[in-house]
Amino acid sequence: MLESLLPYARRSEPDWTARVTGVREEVRALLHDSIGPQAAVCGALRAVLPRDSVVARDVTIASSSWGNRLLEMYDPRSNVFPRGGGIGQGLGMGIGAALARPDSPTVVLAGDGGLAVHLGELLTLAQERPPLTLIVFNDGGYGVLRNMQDRYSERRSGVDLTTPDFEQLARACGLPYARIAAAEHAHPVLDHAVASGGPVLVEVDLAGLGPMKNPFTPPVTIPTA
């Protein structure tokens, strides 16, 4: 049947599936190792989330380095990401997804810089009370741009930010707050947040959690003098 529909098709080698699976496992293992302690957050998320949970990801290092690559997704409708590349859209998209699918928890991955663009959405989160866990990866700046400047230039400019005290910010908005500052915090904190059934702001203190083995820098070409 296949040959009649596609006369030029050829069956793959018998061991092709095994080879592809082996390469996939090797690549995932290398990525898991390269992100260091953030691997605990990735693993905990997949462990505590139902398979149909929406994961909305803003453009941030956690999303680009492992959220789009290592975190397993089981349904394309559960995978929400702004393809345009602009920061700050993740929380709004996540709130919409959580309100549309109230019977399953939603998670949003955002950076402190991206969240700062749309801090007002925290009030929407507090008002609507969807089953959403907002995970803010706080490195005190625009981490991608900082890594690019550290790699390609001689100084930093405009990449270190004054960020709010997220615990006080959550309290001001009437939102529960939790903090991850070590790999062993990830599973219990995220398990409790997701199981709470309501909005929770979880701060990932990247200074406390520890750095990736290799700073994430996107594959771009930077002109040099």
Side-chain angles (χ1 to χ4, degrees), residues 94-139:
I95 292 173
L99 293 174
R101 193 184 290 184
D103 296 330
S104 183
T106 290
V107 163
V108 171
L109 306 184
D112 54 313
L115 184 63
V117 179
H118 289 287
L119 277 178
E121 296 292 357
L122 288 175
L123 300 177
T124 305
L125 182 63
Q127 176 176 307
E128 299 299 329
R129 316 297 300 181
L132 186 151
T133 299
L134 169 60
I135 306 175
V136 183
F137 292 81
N138 181 12
D139 64 357

Side-chain angles (χ1 to χ4, degrees), residues 140-160:
Y142 294 123
V144 170
L145 300 180
R146 179 190 291 152
N147 291 345
M148 291 168 65
Q149 290 183 9
D150 287 348
R151 182 172 179 178
Y152 295 110
S153 68
E154 298 178 353
R155 66 185 180 91
R156 292 182 181 178
S157 177
V159 295
D160 297 314

Side-chain angles (χ1 to χ4, degrees), residues 175-220:
L175 295 169
Y177 167 87
R179 178 170 170 264
I180 296 172
E184 58 267 24
H185 298 167
H187 191 280
V189 166
L190 293 175
D191 188 32
H192 184 268
V194 169
S196 71
V200 181
L201 192 159
V202 175
E203 176 186 3
V204 179
D205 180 351
L206 291 173
L209 184 64
M212 294 181 173
K213 285 190 174 182
N214 302 305
F216 176 78
T217 305
V220 296

Side-chain angles (χ1 to χ4, degrees), residues 57-65 68 81 87 109-114 137 139 144 216:
R57 301 179 309 285
D58 205 87
V59 177
T60 187
I61 287 178
S63 295
S64 299
S65 61
N68 296 347
F81 185 72
I87 63 174
L109 306 184
D112 54 313
F137 292 81
D139 64 357
V144 170
F216 176 78

